[in-house]
Amino acid sequence: MGLLSRSKPAKPYLDGLTTLPTLATALREAGLRPTGAASVCVKPVEGGVVSASEAFDMSSDEFGYTWLTRRTARDDIARLTEELHALVVAGDQAGFGPALLCAVVPFSDGRKPTVALIYRFTRGTWYPFAPTGPDERDNARELEIRTRLGKDANLERDLTRWSPVWGAPGL
């Protein structure tokens, strides 16, 4: 094991999800509304995914990751946030915390494509993602959304960490 290697995976930051209603309010002022859907991406793990996921639709992507998707009423961002947070806390308590990758929360201005806020559990930060087509994104729109959300939004400052999440449910 190298000097900088970890013997144990880092504990995920779960509570940053609770800032979602505040972020949604800022996006609403920009004409973006929640779509009523949100997904959590989980790395493959032995033993399956935590039982709290029963309220979520489960799917897999081409890379073998599991997506747990929840749909609520379009403007019920508080309930959606509570359910996402309950899912990831239950997963963490069941030992799946290190397998949590990201949460994806789509927003729309009534036209396609959708803009999403991505939450990275490993860093406890949010960043915007604005896909415009297959493997294409609108970086200018992402930067505009970052500016609109402000400095207090716990946004990922390192733009190289704004990874695209192609094919996420709801996008």
Side-chain angles (χ1 to χ4, degrees):
M1 187 166 289
L3 182 63
L4 298 178
S5 299
R6 294 180 188 220
S7 59
K8 175 169 124 171
K11 185 145 178 70
Y13 296 95
L14 305 178
D15 291 337
L17 281 175
T18 61
T19 63
L20 181 57
T22 302
L23 299 175
T25 298
L27 291 180
R28 188 171 288 120
E29 292 169 4
L32 294 165
R33 293 179 56 206
T35 64
S39 299
V40 173
C41 184
V42 183
K43 288 188 245 183
V45 292
E46 284 188 37
V49 182
V50 68
S51 63
S53 66
E54 293 171 0
F56 288 70
D57 296 329
M58 191 178 305
S59 62
S60 295
D61 65 19
E62 63 185 285
F63 304 106
Y65 294 110
T66 299
W67 288 92
L68 302 167
T69 303
R70 183 73 174 132
R71 288 176 175 76
T72 63
R74 181 175 177 165
D75 286 320
D76 199 352
I77 197 73
R79 180 174 171 211
L80 189 60
T81 301
E82 289 171 9
E83 291 178 3
L84 284 175
H85 191 256
L87 173 72
V88 299
V89 167
D92 187 48
Q93 290 172 346
F96 298 117
L100 296 168
L101 294 176
C102 68
V104 177
V105 184
F107 290 78
S108 176
D109 61 3
R111 59 184 176 148
K112 287 285 185 181
T114 306
V115 172
L117 289 180
I118 312 293
Y119 182 75
R120 293 184 54 164
F121 292 105
T122 56
R123 296 187 50 90
T125 56
W126 292 94
Y127 64 92
F129 174 55
T132 57
D135 299 331
E136 295 178 13
R137 64 198 285 190
D138 186 342
N139 296 114
R141 190 167 193 205
E142 291 171 358
L143 293 172
E144 174 190 326
I145 291 168
R146 177 185 70 170
T147 300
R148 183 161 299 275
L149 292 174
K151 296 182 182 187
D152 297 330
N154 200 30
L155 295 177
E156 178 59 61
R157 293 175 195 247
D158 183 352
L159 300 183
T160 65
R161 294 184 180 268
W162 289 20
S163 302
V165 188
W166 308 116
L171 289 181

